[in-house]
Amino acid sequence: MKTQLELARDGVITEAMKEAAVYDDVTPEFIREGIAKGQIVIYGNPNRKARVIGIGKGLKTKVNASIGTSPDIIDVEMEVKKAQTAEKYGADTLMELSTGGDLIKIRKRVLDSISLTVGTVPLYQAAIETNKKTGSVVHMEADFLFDVIEQQAEEGIGFMAIHCGINLITLERLKRQGYRYGGLVSRGGSFLTAWMNHNKKENPLYEQIDRLIDIMKKHDVILSLGNGLRAGAVHDSTDRAQIQELIINSEIAEYAQSRGVQIIVEGPGHIPIDEIEANVLIQKRLSNNAPFYMLGPITTDIAPGYDHISSAIGAALSSRYGADFICYVTPPEHLALPGPDDVREGVMAARIAAHVGDMVKLKDKAKNLDLKMGIARRDLDWKTQYETALTKERAQEIRNSRPPMDEDTCTMCGSLCSLKGVMKYYEEDLNKSRKKSAANAAF
């Protein structure tokens, strides 16, 4: 069976490509061509039916929501609710990242509960099961890790974050720069770093890259090249270790694509706003414009409890400069495991950020909704305002909780509504504007 990438290179437009085209309001040929160039990826694993969206150049910035148990909180029903909440509020994909409980059963429950494409970090399962049996991650067998990757591919996982770019060269850079202010915050990155240092061996995911690619190709799983040495503090951003990992990941990306495997390259986590553009440009240049998955980015380290806002600032800029895929951050980041309400807040913050970036990246195509909202507000057309809003449920909830005396206003201004106060003087001009808007919409 050929992968979506191989079919795209053969000039074939698949049903999955057509579905992705509808989602982004582009032509199927646009999707096919982007996949063929390695600049767009779509779900292709035949082992599970999932909603197909495109991630990459020329498309709307997509949002991923991550869920999962921890060793401290193992509540499967809550994880299912979190997954369903993410889908309800508009996440484009979901990552199931459980680290506590029966990982296989939890993953199956989540996969069965939603239609989204689901991603994982297979190293978590391999490391955690090894730790249970031997007492330490450092005793993990390479064969077992690859067995877990194969197993998850067979379950229908759509994309896997796999830390191939951490190799002995990368760790040498980390050592020579004097480690880091914020330490290592990627779980997968820390597992592999400990394993390599203890065993004095090369990363098996790098050393046996063909074995990995064979599995990805067999099941048409998107290889998301993990950013295991991403910064966990803004003062560690864009350091030599991070850039070395990006260089290795970009080399692997090119090789995997030559073998017919779709790839994504992941990006840094904590980063000040003046380095975001440079990070996007470097990633795009090194990887031949491969889809860029930006984790966060969190733009300041001193806002615990509000990291979803700090991240939304970074995500908007990332999207504006060309990042294709962002991972949401929830309010409890750095503090606790998120619950369903936190998932909702994280998804909405990330969706707003993605749209803000797309308004620049995709220009009028993304701005049309804002134009529609502006006109609806001018006309005090509340029905259209709700229909147009990304946050329609929350908007209605707030206004209904504080109802105005005049139903066409809100309690912010009431009878002193600035819009109503001058509307009668511009009725003729408004009618001209409305006719012009209607003509443009029809065109």
Side-chain angles (χ1 to χ4, degrees), residues 172-404:
E172 184 64 21
R173 302 284 76 70
L174 183 66
K175 182 178 180 180
R176 289 194 179 190
Q177 71 184 29
Y179 195 50
R180 277 182 164 166
Y181 295 104
L184 293 185
V185 297
S186 162
R187 271 185 302 215
S190 67
F191 288 160
L192 274 176
T193 298
W195 188 94
M196 293 167 67
N197 277 307
H198 177 83
N199 294 292
K200 310 298 182 188
K201 291 182 179 179
E202 183 58 274
N203 175 3
L205 296 168
Y206 175 77
E207 192 171 49
Q208 300 182 54
I209 190 63
D210 281 307
R211 186 177 180 182
L212 173 64
I213 288 173
D214 286 343
I215 298 172
M216 299 290 107
K217 184 174 181 179
K218 178 181 176 182
H219 301 280
D220 203 358
V221 176
I222 299 165
L223 174 57
S224 188
L225 291 156
N227 192 212
L229 292 186
R230 66 179 180 272
V234 294
H235 281 77
D236 291 324
S237 66
T238 325
D239 65 7
R240 293 192 293 268
Q242 176 203 313
I243 296 302
Q244 180 63 58
E245 184 183 25
L246 174 60
I247 291 170
I248 300 299
N249 276 339
S250 297
E251 290 175 352
I252 293 170
E254 184 176 53
Y255 178 62
Q257 287 174 333
S258 75
R259 294 277 316 276
V261 172
Q262 300 184 87
I263 62 93
I264 292 171
V265 177
E266 297 184 10
H270 289 236
I271 179 171
I273 60 172
D274 61 330
E275 294 180 19
I276 291 175
E277 182 179 15
N279 272 264
V280 175
L281 288 173
I282 292 169
Q283 185 276 341
K284 288 290 184 178
R285 176 64 65 88
L286 292 181
S287 68
N288 188 33
N289 284 305
F292 189 16
Y293 184 14
M294 199 67 139
L295 308 181
I298 293 175
T299 51
T300 179
D301 297 333
I302 60 170
Y306 295 91
D307 277 324
H308 61 306
I309 296 174
S310 171
S311 175
I313 294 167
L317 288 167
S318 300
S319 170
R320 177 260 182 273
Y321 290 122
D324 309 288
F325 193 27
I326 57 175
C327 189
Y328 85 160
V329 169
T330 64
E333 182 81 8
H334 301 110
L335 300 171
L337 189 75
D341 288 343
D342 300 315
V343 169
R344 181 195 65 221
E345 293 302 299
V347 169
M348 293 313 305
R351 286 187 63 205
I352 293 165
H355 176 73
V356 169
D358 285 346
M359 288 170 67
V360 178
K361 186 167 67 176
L362 302 180
K363 301 188 177 358
D364 289 344
K365 190 171 183 179
K367 285 184 179 178
N368 285 339
L369 281 176
D370 291 82
L371 175 60
K372 186 177 180 181
M373 179 65 87
I375 293 170
R377 283 179 172 156
R378 179 199 66 191
D379 295 345
L380 299 172
D381 178 355
W382 292 95
K383 180 176 182 293
T384 301
Q385 287 185 53
Y386 294 143
E387 291 172 350
T388 306
L390 290 175
T391 52
K392 53 178 67 69
E393 184 178 290
R394 180 69 172 141
Q396 286 180 292
E397 178 187 305
I398 290 174
R399 186 164 182 265
N400 292 342
S401 70
R402 282 151 263 183

Side-chain angles (χ1 to χ4, degrees), residues 28 56 84 86 91 93 104 123 132 153 157-158 183 236 245 270 288 304 339 396 405 415:
Q84 293 170 337
T93 64
I104 297 173
L123 179 60
K132 287 179 181 178
I157 296 302
D236 291 324
E245 184 183 25
H270 289 236
N288 188 33
Q396 286 180 292
M405 294 177 66
S415 61

Side-chain angles (χ1 to χ4, degrees), residues 43-50 96 98 102-114 116-122 125 129 147-160 215-216 218-221:
Y43 179 80
N45 193 330
N47 297 315
R48 174 178 178 260
K49 183 174 175 53
E96 204 295 295
S98 289
D102 189 327
L103 304 184
I104 297 173
K105 287 184 179 179
I106 294 168
R107 192 164 58 246
K108 186 177 188 310
R109 284 289 310 279
V110 170
L111 286 168
D112 289 344
S113 72
I114 58 172
L116 300 179
T117 297
V118 175
T120 59
V121 182
Q125 181 181 339
E129 291 188 11
D147 287 345
V148 169
I149 293 170
E150 179 93 48
Q151 174 194 5
Q152 293 192 10
E154 289 172 349
E155 292 171 355
I157 296 302
F159 63 104
M160 296 184 186
I215 298 172
M216 299 290 107
K218 178 181 176 182
H219 301 280
D220 203 358
V221 176

